[in-house]
Amino acid sequence: AIERSLLAQRMAASAAWARLRGRPPFHHVEAYESQPGPKAQRLYELADRCMLEARAASEALGARFGIVVIPYARQLREFEAGLDGGAYGAHWREFAARNGFACGDARERFLAHAEPASLYWREDNHCTAAGYTLVAEAAAGLVWSRRTELGWTP
Protein backbone atom coordinates (compact mmCIF):
# COMPACT_ATOMS: atom_id res chain seq x y z
CA ALA A 1 0.00 0.00 0.00
CA ILE A 2 1.15 3.51 -0.75
CA GLU A 3 0.91 5.96 2.13
CA ARG A 4 0.78 9.71 1.82
CA SER A 5 3.74 11.58 3.18
CA LEU A 6 3.44 13.37 6.50
CA LEU A 7 3.59 16.69 4.61
CA ALA A 8 0.73 15.64 2.33
CA GLN A 9 -1.31 14.54 5.35
CA ARG A 10 -0.74 17.87 7.09
CA MET A 11 -1.57 19.84 3.96
CA ALA A 12 -4.79 17.87 3.50
CA ALA A 13 -5.79 18.72 7.09
CA SER A 14 -4.87 22.42 6.81
CA ALA A 15 -7.72 24.95 6.69
CA ALA A 16 -5.29 27.52 5.26
CA TRP A 17 -4.34 25.16 2.41
CA ALA A 18 -8.04 24.52 1.72
CA ARG A 19 -8.71 28.27 1.51
CA LEU A 20 -5.78 28.73 -0.89
CA ARG A 21 -7.34 26.08 -3.13
CA GLY A 22 -10.71 27.85 -2.91
CA ARG A 23 -12.29 25.18 -0.73
CA PRO A 24 -14.12 25.56 2.58
CA PRO A 25 -11.86 25.28 5.65
CA PHE A 26 -13.41 21.92 6.63
CA HIS A 27 -15.93 19.36 5.40
CA HIS A 28 -19.65 20.01 5.67
CA VAL A 29 -19.15 23.71 6.42
CA GLU A 30 -22.74 24.31 5.27
CA ALA A 31 -24.04 22.48 8.36
CA TYR A 32 -22.64 25.24 10.57
CA GLU A 33 -23.83 28.34 8.75
CA SER A 34 -25.53 30.78 11.12
CA GLN A 35 -27.90 31.65 8.28
CA PRO A 36 -28.15 28.50 6.11
CA GLY A 37 -27.78 29.23 2.41
CA PRO A 38 -29.50 27.41 -0.46
CA LYS A 39 -26.97 24.55 -0.52
CA ALA A 40 -27.29 24.00 3.24
CA GLN A 41 -31.06 24.04 2.98
CA ARG A 42 -31.01 21.42 0.20
CA LEU A 43 -28.62 19.22 2.17
CA TYR A 44 -30.73 19.45 5.32
CA GLU A 45 -33.91 18.68 3.34
CA LEU A 46 -32.25 15.52 2.03
CA ALA A 47 -30.99 14.55 5.49
CA ASP A 48 -34.43 15.27 6.98
CA ARG A 49 -36.11 12.93 4.48
CA CYS A 50 -33.57 10.21 5.25
CA MET A 51 -34.16 10.64 8.98
CA LEU A 52 -37.93 10.32 8.53
CA GLU A 53 -37.39 7.16 6.45
CA ALA A 54 -35.20 5.73 9.23
CA ARG A 55 -37.90 6.52 11.78
CA ALA A 56 -40.58 4.87 9.62
CA ALA A 57 -38.41 1.76 9.20
CA SER A 58 -37.84 1.58 12.96
CA GLU A 59 -41.51 1.98 13.72
CA ALA A 60 -42.42 -0.65 11.10
CA LEU A 61 -40.32 -3.08 13.14
CA GLY A 62 -42.11 -2.05 16.34
CA ALA A 63 -39.16 -0.06 17.70
CA ARG A 64 -39.21 3.43 19.11
CA PHE A 65 -37.03 5.97 17.36
CA GLY A 66 -34.67 8.58 18.70
CA ILE A 67 -31.29 10.03 17.82
CA VAL A 68 -28.19 11.30 19.57
CA VAL A 69 -26.16 13.93 17.72
CA ILE A 70 -22.43 13.18 17.85
CA PRO A 71 -20.33 16.31 17.28
CA TYR A 72 -17.60 16.42 14.69
CA ALA A 73 -14.19 17.25 16.16
CA ARG A 74 -14.32 20.58 14.32
CA GLN A 75 -17.36 21.62 16.37
CA LEU A 76 -15.25 21.76 19.51
CA ARG A 77 -13.08 24.64 18.24
CA GLU A 78 -13.74 28.29 17.49
CA PHE A 79 -15.52 28.99 14.23
CA GLU A 80 -15.05 31.78 11.73
CA ALA A 81 -17.61 34.62 11.54
CA GLY A 82 -20.93 33.44 10.13
CA LEU A 83 -20.51 29.88 11.39
CA ASP A 84 -21.92 28.32 14.55
CA GLY A 85 -20.65 25.05 16.06
CA GLY A 86 -24.03 24.44 17.68
CA ALA A 87 -26.10 24.86 14.50
CA TYR A 88 -25.90 21.19 13.48
CA GLY A 89 -27.20 19.89 16.81
CA ALA A 90 -29.81 22.66 16.98
CA HIS A 91 -31.16 21.60 13.59
CA TRP A 92 -31.64 18.01 14.73
CA ARG A 93 -33.14 18.95 18.11
CA GLU A 94 -35.68 21.25 16.40
CA PHE A 95 -36.41 18.70 13.67
CA ALA A 96 -36.98 15.93 16.23
CA ALA A 97 -39.29 18.16 18.28
CA ARG A 98 -41.35 19.04 15.17
CA ASN A 99 -41.58 15.38 14.17
CA GLY A 100 -42.29 13.85 17.56
CA PHE A 101 -39.19 11.84 18.35
CA ALA A 102 -36.45 12.06 20.95
CA CYS A 103 -33.13 13.76 20.26
CA GLY A 104 -30.08 14.15 22.46
CA ASP A 105 -26.94 16.12 21.66
CA ALA A 106 -23.56 14.98 23.00
CA ARG A 107 -21.74 18.22 22.07
CA GLU A 108 -21.93 19.80 25.55
CA ARG A 109 -20.41 16.66 27.08
CA PHE A 110 -17.60 16.78 24.53
CA LEU A 111 -16.99 20.50 25.14
CA ALA A 112 -16.82 19.94 28.90
CA HIS A 113 -14.23 17.17 28.59
CA ALA A 114 -10.78 18.05 29.96
CA GLU A 115 -9.02 16.75 26.82
CA PRO A 116 -11.35 17.04 23.80
CA ALA A 117 -8.59 15.94 21.40
CA SER A 118 -8.55 12.54 23.14
CA LEU A 119 -12.15 11.95 22.08
CA TYR A 120 -11.27 11.46 18.40
CA TRP A 121 -8.71 9.47 16.47
CA ARG A 122 -6.01 11.65 14.93
CA GLU A 123 -6.39 9.89 11.58
CA ASP A 124 -10.05 10.69 11.04
CA ASN A 125 -13.14 12.15 12.64
CA HIS A 126 -14.32 9.00 14.43
CA CYS A 127 -14.60 8.84 18.20
CA THR A 128 -12.23 6.93 20.42
CA ALA A 129 -13.57 4.74 23.24
CA ALA A 130 -13.55 7.86 25.47
CA GLY A 131 -15.65 9.73 22.91
CA TYR A 132 -18.13 6.90 22.53
CA THR A 133 -18.42 6.73 26.32
CA LEU A 134 -19.75 10.30 26.22
CA VAL A 135 -22.12 9.37 23.40
CA ALA A 136 -23.40 6.43 25.48
CA GLU A 137 -23.90 8.73 28.48
CA ALA A 138 -25.89 11.14 26.29
CA ALA A 139 -28.01 8.26 24.95
CA ALA A 140 -28.61 6.90 28.44
CA GLY A 141 -29.54 10.38 29.65
CA LEU A 142 -32.01 10.75 26.80
CA VAL A 143 -33.67 7.40 27.54
CA TRP A 144 -33.75 8.13 31.28
CA SER A 145 -35.34 11.54 30.70
CA ARG A 146 -38.15 9.82 28.76
CA ARG A 147 -38.59 6.89 31.16
CA THR A 148 -42.17 7.79 32.11
CA GLU A 149 -43.17 8.07 28.47
CA LEU A 150 -41.51 4.68 27.87
CA GLY A 151 -43.55 3.14 30.68
CA TRP A 152 -40.67 2.63 33.09
CA THR A 153 -41.16 3.36 36.75
CA PRO A 154 -38.10 3.70 38.95
Side-chain angles (χ1 to χ4, degrees), residues 24 26-45 47 69-72 74-75 79 82-92 107:
F26 52 91
H27 295 299
H28 311 299
V29 69
E30 295 84 4
Y32 310 108
E33 292 175 343
S34 299
Q35 298 296 318
K39 182 177 180 182
Q41 291 172 0
R42 284 192 314 274
L43 291 171
Y44 272 127
E45 287 169 6
V69 181
I70 303 171
Y72 285 98
R74 181 64 182 90
Q75 289 177 260
F79 273 92
L83 299 176
D84 175 5
Y88 182 71
H91 170 82
W92 290 116
R107 184 170 180 253

Side-chain angles (χ1 to χ4, degrees), residues 70-73 110 116-132 135:
I70 303 171
Y72 285 98
F110 278 64
S118 71
L119 303 174
Y120 300 92
W121 294 105
R122 280 185 304 148
E123 295 78 13
D124 62 24
N125 201 38
H126 290 90
C127 293
T128 61
Y132 281 120
V135 173

Side-chain angles (χ1 to χ4, degrees), residues 43-136:
L43 291 171
Y44 272 127
E45 287 169 6
L46 175 62
D48 293 351
R49 285 195 306 271
C50 290
M51 191 66 69
L52 292 175
E53 287 179 19
R55 181 184 71 177
S58 295
E59 291 173 349
L61 294 170
R64 297 189 186 202
F65 184 78
I67 62 172
V68 174
V69 181
I70 303 171
Y72 285 98
R74 181 64 182 90
Q75 289 177 260
L76 306 183
R77 300 192 305 264
E78 295 261 342
F79 273 92
E80 296 82 19
L83 299 176
D84 175 5
Y88 182 71
H91 170 82
W92 290 116
R93 288 190 309 276
E94 292 165 8
F95 181 78
R98 282 194 315 272
N99 289 280
F101 62 86
C103 177
D105 190 345
R107 184 170 180 253
E108 291 304 318
R109 291 174 188 272
F110 278 64
L111 287 170
H113 193 274
E115 294 181 46
S118 71
L119 303 174
Y120 300 92
W121 294 105
R122 280 185 304 148
E123 295 78 13
D124 62 24
N125 201 38
H126 290 90
C127 293
T128 61
Y132 281 120
T133 296
L134 297 181
V135 173

Side-chain angles (χ1 to χ4, degrees), residues 14-26 29-30 39:
S14 166
W17 180 244
R19 281 192 299 276
L20 285 173
R21 294 182 306 170
R23 295 188 177 157
F26 52 91
V29 69
E30 295 84 4
K39 182 177 180 182

